Amino acid sequence: MNIEDYRDYCLSLGDDVGERMPFRAFCYASEVLVFYVCGHMFSFFDCNNFSVVTLKCQPEH
């Protein structure tokens, strides 16, 4: 999976899913893309290094 495929997948999860780059003020995190659902962060990754993706979810899921 590449960045665009992952981005498309995250955005397809629902109408209340959005994306932002909220850490632009920080030089080491300026390219971090964050996905939100209902205003809560659920996934993020560095656009310059797609080798690690952080995903937040309930342990049973």
Side-chain angles (χ1 to χ4, degrees):
M1 181 174 279
N2 62 36
I3 287 175
E4 286 301 318
D5 290 340
Y6 186 73
R7 180 181 173 271
D8 291 342
Y9 174 75
C10 287
L11 292 174
S12 74
L13 294 175
D15 294 332
D16 51 354
V17 174
E19 62 182 339
R20 287 183 245 154
M21 296 180 98
F23 306 115
R24 292 236 179 220
F26 305 99
C27 62
Y28 294 109
S30 64
E31 296 297 317
V32 172
L33 181 61
V34 181
F35 293 94
Y36 294 85
V37 62
C38 298
H40 297 279
M41 187 183 301
F42 75 89
S43 182
F44 57 91
F45 62 86
D46 186 340
C47 292
N48 295 323
N49 182 5
F50 190 61
S51 63
V52 175
V53 173
T54 301
L55 182 64
K56 294 171 59 177
C57 65
Q58 297 293 331
E60 61 271 8
H61 295 296

